[in-house]
Amino acid sequence: MVMYCTLSGPCGQLKVTATPQAIIRIDFLDQPEFHQPATTPLLIEASAQLEAYFAGNLHSFSLPLDPQGTTFQRRVWQALQQLAYGERCSYRDIALHIGSPLAVRAVGAANGRNPIPIIIPCHRVIGANGKLTGYAGGLERKSWLLRHEAGQSGPAGSWASI
């Protein structure tokens, strides 16, 4: 059984999808949907942790996750979860960390297919030159998330004006 809830955050509306055991997806909704409140203990906890993160009161998530992907993608996503709040790295850094130094482009592709953004912090990966690189949720959201973790996010809802 798969359930979901929606919540509003400073980066727009999010749809959080879970089984009874784990979070399996988070989607940024560019077209807002009807508000679906959290109705299961896991979705209630996920919503509370995301709200605390956006408020600046949570730096590390403690939720069961089950992202669906290849073995390689899962290795990349596990490495991303080891990045500390506010820490940034490059695709090359991740490739080296997982023992695949020639797989920089594959790391980028896996990063782009991360089904649980924010909690699996793919937004913390930037270009080797220090510039923002692609983000499935859009560069405006990525910029907001990085500034948020650096303590410079500004008022809620300001992400789109960057």
Side-chain angles (χ1 to χ4, degrees):
M1 176 199 300
V2 175
M3 302 288 294
Y4 76 92
C5 68
T6 58
L7 63 130
S8 295
C11 292
Q13 192 178 41
L14 299 174
K15 181 178 182 178
V16 181
T17 306
T19 66
Q21 296 79 30
I23 304 298
I24 59 172
R25 287 197 67 78
I26 293 180
D27 295 292
F28 292 106
L29 301 176
D30 291 324
Q31 298 297 321
E33 292 184 5
F34 176 77
H35 176 69
Q36 174 65 40
T39 57
T40 68
L42 181 54
L43 288 173
I44 291 167
E45 181 61 25
S47 295
Q49 287 191 30
L50 284 162
E51 289 171 0
Y53 168 82
F54 287 129
N57 299 323
L58 181 79
H59 294 177
S60 179
F61 292 94
S62 58
L63 296 164
L65 306 177
D66 188 18
Q68 299 300 302
T70 67
T71 301
F72 180 81
Q73 289 169 334
R74 286 174 178 255
R75 283 178 40 217
V76 170
W77 301 334
Q78 287 171 349
L80 293 172
Q81 291 176 74
Q82 295 173 21
L83 292 171
Y85 182 89
E87 183 179 0
R88 298 176 186 185
C89 71
S90 69
Y91 296 120
R92 184 175 189 278
D93 295 331
I94 297 291
L96 291 170
H97 181 79
I98 65 170
S100 299
L102 301 178
V104 175
R105 293 184 83 154
V107 166
N111 202 57
R113 289 186 180 95
N114 172 17
I116 310 175
I118 302 172
I119 295 174
I120 298 178
C122 55
H123 62 276
R124 295 178 186 156
V125 182
I126 59 174
N129 61 2
K131 298 197 182 216
L132 292 186
T133 57
Y135 185 62
L139 288 180
E140 296 88 5
R141 287 184 178 114
K142 182 174 186 161
S143 175
W144 190 91
L145 290 164
L146 291 171
R147 288 183 300 106
H148 171 67
E149 291 185 3
Q152 306 164 356
S153 58
S158 67
W159 70 271
S161 63
I162 301 181

